[in-house]
């Protein structure tokens, strides 16, 4: 049975594809070779992580013709079980000229020159493949469509929001497991194992970024993953991990203490908490993202800790495949994006003091509705939790 494991209706996918075509026409682009796995899933329903080692693409024109999926022969059944697309073709790795095949399909759809959209910032497009594609597509000009194809994903439909909430439930299972399991004397890896087991047991799909977990003197590492370090009494332990439903990610972010921490650790945590609350308070439909991050920094300026806030305040999240789970919404200075109802995003107040071997991160995943900001999962604006 075709598309037995589809997560959305063909109608919803076709509506998304129609929006992508509208955006292409606005930019004067007639054809698209979409290679990012997030796009293949969002527009074509094809659920597969293998873009990072086996080129695959959704190829379509800006007109109303049917799209084509092209992939490696060994993955053909993956497309049959998840995608609504009828024209699915394959190639043999190491034997077939993949860039030439992609170009040939685009030319079938009318490509003769002009512009062709490709997500050139995707990890699915290594430099060597990009060069070969450019040669095969000549004289057509490759235009980066990473943002163009990613922007429609920022506003979640009701069916997408249902998956986001389910992903939040899976992450909640991981957060509860951390609270139950964490104790002095256990290793960071053992704690990560408890978290990951709980999420998988609850029903979570695999996540796109490793569980980030650091304790004690390692907490100044914002993207630290678990090591064999033994958690000691009084250590701060900060966590960042995602539950996943139908490839939709909801990230839990939380800092806890394994017993009573130092006065300095509490001071840093409380400053981060104030920063998080101030940023959340600035979020509303129509808010500029620069203003949101500026609001989050105001309490830190007063505390003399602004220089310790080295991460952006937030980013969009939703469909994701390894190695990242970010969408093209940047809640940060330097961006002029406007917040809209239906957006889902990660917020984090992160402070690091490398010289003190101390850091905290606090936040979670939030949705913006017409009624305001709703936390889907995370530690959020709460007093330091001492286990």
């Amino acid at each position: 049975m075709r598309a037995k494991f589809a997560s959305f209706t063909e109608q919803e996918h076709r509506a998304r594809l129609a929006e992508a075509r509208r955006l292409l026409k606005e930019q004067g682009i007639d054809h698209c070779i979409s290679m990012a796995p997030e796009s293949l899933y969002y527009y074509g329903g094809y659920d597969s992580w293998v873009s990072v080692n086996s080129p695959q693409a959704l190829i379509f024109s800006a007109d109303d013709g049917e799209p084509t999926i092209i992939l490696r022969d060994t993955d053909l059944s993956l497309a049959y079980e998840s995608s609504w697309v009828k024209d699915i073709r394959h190639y043999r790795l190491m034997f077939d000229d993949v860039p030439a095949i992609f170009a040939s399909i685009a030319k079938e759809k009318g490509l003769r020159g002009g512009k062709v959209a490709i997500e050139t910032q995707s990890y699915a497009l290594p430099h060597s493949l990009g060069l070969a594609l450019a040669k095969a597509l000549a004289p057509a000009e490759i235009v980066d469509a990473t943002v163009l194809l990613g922007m429609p994903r920022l506003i979640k439909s009701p069916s997408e929001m249902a998956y986001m909430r389910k992903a939040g439930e899976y992450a909640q299972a991981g957060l509860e497991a951390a609270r139950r399991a964490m104790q002095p004397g256990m290793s960071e890896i053992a704690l990560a194992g408890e978290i990951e087991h709980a999420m998988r047991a609850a029903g979570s799909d695999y996540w796109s970024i490793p569980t980030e977990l650091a304790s004690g003197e390692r907490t100044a590492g914002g993207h630290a993953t678990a090591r064999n370090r033994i958690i000691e009494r009084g250590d701060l332990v900060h966590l960042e991990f995602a539950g996943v439903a139908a490839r939709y990610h909801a990230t839990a972010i939380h800092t806890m203490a394994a017993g009573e921490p130092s006065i300095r650790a509490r001071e840093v945590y409380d400053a981060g908490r104030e920063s998080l609350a101030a940023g959340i308070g600035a979020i509303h439909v129509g808010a500029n993202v620069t203003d949101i991050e500026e609001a989050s920094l105001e309490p830190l300026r007063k505390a003399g800790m602004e220089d310790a806030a080295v991460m952006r305040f937030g980013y969009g999240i939703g469909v994701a495949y390894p190695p990242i789970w970010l969408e093209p919404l940047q809640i940060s200075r330097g961006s002029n994006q406007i917040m809209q109802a239906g957006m889902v995003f990660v917020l984090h107040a992160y402070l690091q003091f490398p010289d003190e071997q101390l850091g905290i991160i606090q936040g979670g995943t939030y949705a913006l509705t017409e009624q305001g900001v709703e936390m889907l999962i995370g530690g959020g604006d709460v007093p330091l939790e001492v286990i």
Side-chain angles (χ1 to χ4, degrees):
M1 179 179 176
R2 290 288 292 268
K4 180 178 180 180
F5 293 98
S7 299
F8 299 95
T9 65
E10 179 177 336
Q11 181 181 13
E12 182 160 350
H13 282 299
R14 285 190 177 276
R16 297 171 181 176
L17 188 61
E19 174 63 8
R21 285 171 159 154
R22 184 188 70 80
L23 293 172
L24 289 171
K25 288 179 180 178
E26 280 187 356
Q27 298 298 315
I29 303 171
D30 294 325
H31 295 85
C32 180
I33 300 177
S34 175
M35 300 180 66
E38 298 84 5
S39 293
L40 268 67
Y41 179 73
Y42 184 77
Y43 296 108
Y46 173 41
D47 181 8
S48 170
W49 65 272
V50 301
S51 292
V52 292
N53 64 19
S54 298
Q56 48 193 21
L58 178 70
I59 303 176
F60 58 95
S61 70
D63 297 324
D64 294 331
E66 290 294 303
T68 297
I69 287 178
I70 174 69
L71 43 70
R72 185 179 171 187
D73 50 7
T74 191
D75 299 316
L76 191 59
S77 64
L78 301 180
Y80 287 156
E81 72 180 20
S82 61
S83 178
W84 62 273
V85 175
K86 306 302 185 292
D87 183 14
I88 301 175
R89 309 185 197 181
H90 58 87
Y91 63 85
R92 176 60 59 86
L93 190 68
M94 308 301 295
F95 290 91
D96 292 329
D97 185 338
V98 176
I101 292 173
F102 284 17
S104 175
I105 295 171
K107 290 170 183 177
E108 283 181 27
K109 299 181 185 299
L111 178 67
R112 296 294 180 269
K115 300 176 180 179
V116 56
I118 299 178
E119 299 106 323
T120 61
Q121 298 177 53
S122 174
Y123 289 91
L125 186 65
H127 184 65
S128 58
L129 178 58
L131 291 176
L133 266 175
K135 182 177 180 180
L137 291 166
E141 173 192 358
I142 291 177
V143 177
D144 181 22
T146 308
V147 174
L148 183 148
L149 293 176
M151 290 300 287
R153 304 204 313 268
L154 298 188
I155 307 299
K156 305 298 188 285
S157 69
S159 53
E160 289 179 288
M161 277 304 307
Y163 286 128
M164 293 298 307
R165 295 182 191 283
K166 179 59 69 174
E169 292 176 11
Y170 297 148
Q172 183 64 38
L175 198 53
E176 291 171 358
R179 291 186 173 110
R180 289 193 305 268
M182 192 178 82
Q183 60 182 333
M186 76 182 309
S187 72
E188 293 175 352
I189 286 179
L191 180 57
E194 295 288 341
I195 293 167
E196 294 173 1
H197 172 75
M199 290 195 293
R200 277 299 211 176
S204 177
D205 199 353
Y206 66 93
W207 34 91
S208 297
I209 294 177
T211 297
E212 295 180 0
L213 190 158
S215 65
E217 73 269 16
R218 299 191 65 237
T219 54
H223 294 129
T225 54
R227 295 191 183 277
N228 277 318
R229 181 188 185 274
I230 301 301
I231 296 170
E232 299 177 2
R233 186 168 302 280
D235 279 351
L236 292 183
V237 180
H238 62 64
L239 313 165
E240 183 172 354
F241 55 85
V244 187
R247 302 311 314 149
Y248 283 78
H249 287 56
T251 303
I253 296 175
H254 196 33
T255 293
M256 300 185 289
E260 185 59 33
S262 69
I263 294 173
R264 176 59 170 167
R266 279 193 172 276
E267 179 185 39
V268 172
Y269 179 88
D270 289 343
R273 180 190 175 191
E274 286 186 46
S275 173
L276 178 65
I280 293 172
I283 298 175
H284 57 82
V285 174
N288 187 291
V289 294
T290 292
D291 295 335
I292 295 168
E293 183 166 84
E294 282 290 347
S296 78
L297 293 172
E298 189 57 32
L300 301 179
R301 293 189 181 108
K302 293 178 180 178
M305 296 185 185
E306 182 180 1
D307 290 344
V310 294
M311 282 188 181
R312 63 168 88 80
F313 185 61
Y315 55 83
I317 194 167
V319 177
Y321 288 87
I324 57 172
W325 62 41
L326 284 71
E327 290 189 333
L329 168 65
Q330 301 294 328
I331 304 177
S332 174
R333 293 166 295 175
S335 174
N336 289 313
Q337 291 174 283
I338 302 299
M339 300 300 292
Q340 302 176 58
M343 286 181 167
V344 180
F345 41 89
V346 170
L347 301 177
H348 46 33
Y350 174 68
L351 299 175
Q352 70 170 29
F353 297 88
D355 292 344
E356 301 178 50
Q357 296 183 313
L358 175 64
I360 70 100
I361 186 167
Q362 191 66 8
T365 299
Y366 300 77
L368 180 59
T369 70
E370 295 292 351
Q371 290 70 46
V373 180
E374 173 192 356
M375 187 172 78
L376 302 182
I377 180 61
D381 173 21
V382 294
L384 179 62
E385 187 171 356
V386 179
I387 303 298

